Amino acid sequence: MLLPESMSRIVIVGTKSRLDEAIEALYSEKEIHVIDHAPGDDALSIGSTRPNTSKASERLLKVRGMEKELGVVKHTKTPKVSVEDMRTRIVSGDVEDVDSQVLKAVDERNDLNQRITELNSRKNTLQLLQSLPISMDLYSGYKSISVLTGTVVTDPTAALADVSGCECFVSMGKKSGVAAVFVKNLSKDEALTVLSNCGFVELRMPSENRKIGAADAIAEIDEQIAHDQQQLDAAMLSLEALKSKYAAFLKGTDEEL
């Protein structure tokens, strides 16, 4: 059974000019258990951090963030680096320089991922609409007419026939379908009630106002996705290059800080 070793509380008094040396000496012994200090009968206050502590903490957060983004973990193999070299590079601002490079590459990767996700979302909507004989510019631009577009579980055509000023386009599959309903604003709520009874789920329409069919719009989106995917692959390679270049520096800086 493991038992705790007996420990003693010590108070060390010295001049402030030797404080940094004392801290280094105490930590080098690796025999100290640091606890939160609460003022007591000894009349000693909690004390203040050293002038460079805030900067060191800020840099450590940057390094940890870069290690996470680049996939630098504890077991990542890197060549050994000297303590003196790490200290020199830290003081000279290499952490901030590397951080700016990594952030730029990460932002580019994230932007491309977001764009591809948005393009795929638009594509999914267009794939549903391509079965309807309507060009993309006809889904918007009206003042007195509302356009309700979405998926349905059952065909609403017959029920919508009783709604005044309503024109319906529907394409049904085996289990569901898609509907585009053009209705006068005054009858919109009535049409929505009918659609709701048919399992209507509104689609978020892409901002496409050109006179172009859904199939052609999908082809254009596929080209954009392919282009962005190439850029994303290049961004991922840039991140891998940064990992290879700075993994040893990041691990050494992490340890030193």
Side-chain angles (χ1 to χ4, degrees):
M1 183 175 65
L2 298 176
L3 296 174
E5 291 189 22
S6 176
M7 302 184 74
S8 300
R9 183 181 182 213
I10 62 172
V11 176
I12 300 173
V13 180
T15 61
K16 290 184 177 180
S17 63
R18 306 296 297 274
L19 183 56
D20 288 336
E21 295 177 57
I23 291 172
E24 290 291 339
L26 289 169
Y27 272 101
S28 66
E29 291 298 317
K30 299 181 180 180
E31 296 289 343
I32 300 174
H33 177 62
V34 181
I35 61 173
D36 290 336
H37 174 77
D41 295 336
D42 53 19
L44 295 175
S45 66
I46 192 171
S48 58
T49 58
R50 304 298 294 144
N52 60 347
T53 300
S54 177
K55 190 64 176 179
S57 297
E58 178 186 328
R59 282 171 168 161
L60 182 57
L61 286 174
K62 289 180 183 292
V63 169
R64 295 276 170 84
M66 287 187 280
E67 287 177 321
K68 181 179 180 181
E69 292 291 354
L70 298 178
V72 178
V73 296
K74 181 179 179 180
H75 301 295
T76 300
K77 293 183 178 180
T78 57
K80 293 183 179 181
V81 292
S82 69
V83 174
E84 291 76 14
D85 182 44
M86 287 300 97
R87 289 176 177 172
T88 299
R89 296 185 65 177
I90 290 170
V91 172
S92 64
D94 278 13
V95 171
E96 288 74 16
D97 178 57
V98 176
D99 185 54
S100 65
Q101 296 179 52
V102 173
L103 282 180
K104 181 180 179 181
V106 168
D107 286 345
E108 183 178 5
R109 179 201 63 190
N110 292 344
D111 288 345
L112 288 166
N113 270 323
Q114 183 177 352
R115 279 167 53 185
I116 291 173
T117 298
E118 291 173 352
L119 286 170
N120 278 316
S121 178
R122 288 174 57 193
K123 179 180 176 180
N124 290 337
T125 300
L126 290 169
Q127 285 175 330
L128 292 171
L129 298 176
Q130 66 180 335
S131 59
L132 299 178
I134 306 172
S135 62
M136 299 307 300
D137 61 318
L138 297 179
Y139 285 101
S140 61
Y142 307 104
K143 292 183 179 180
S144 60
I145 296 176
S146 297
V147 183
L148 309 173
T149 310
T151 58
V152 290
V153 177
T154 58
D155 192 337
T157 304
L160 286 170
D162 296 330
V163 178
S164 176
C166 180
E167 186 70 29
C168 179
F169 298 87
V170 180
S171 176
M172 295 299 298
K174 292 182 179 180
K175 295 183 179 180
S176 62
V178 61
V181 178
F182 296 78
V183 61
K184 289 184 178 180
N185 292 337
L186 293 175
S187 301
K188 178 181 178 181
D189 291 341
E190 186 181 356
L192 280 172
T193 299
V194 172
L195 288 170
S196 178
N197 293 332
C198 296
F200 178 74
V201 177
E202 190 170 6
L203 289 173
R204 182 181 178 184
M205 295 297 294
S207 55
E208 184 63 74
N209 297 319
R210 294 176 298 155
K211 190 173 183 179
I212 183 175
D216 292 332
I218 290 172
E220 291 183 357
I221 287 177
D222 283 335
E223 290 182 5
Q224 294 177 46
I225 290 175
H227 177 265
D228 287 347
Q229 186 61 52
Q230 287 183 339
Q231 290 189 311
L232 178 59
D233 292 340
M236 297 302 292
L237 288 175
S238 296
L239 285 169
E240 282 296 322
L242 289 172
K243 177 181 179 179
S244 298
K245 184 175 182 180
Y246 295 118
F249 169 69
L250 292 175
K251 289 188 68 176
T253 302
D254 189 328
E255 183 177 344
E256 174 59 21
L257 289 174

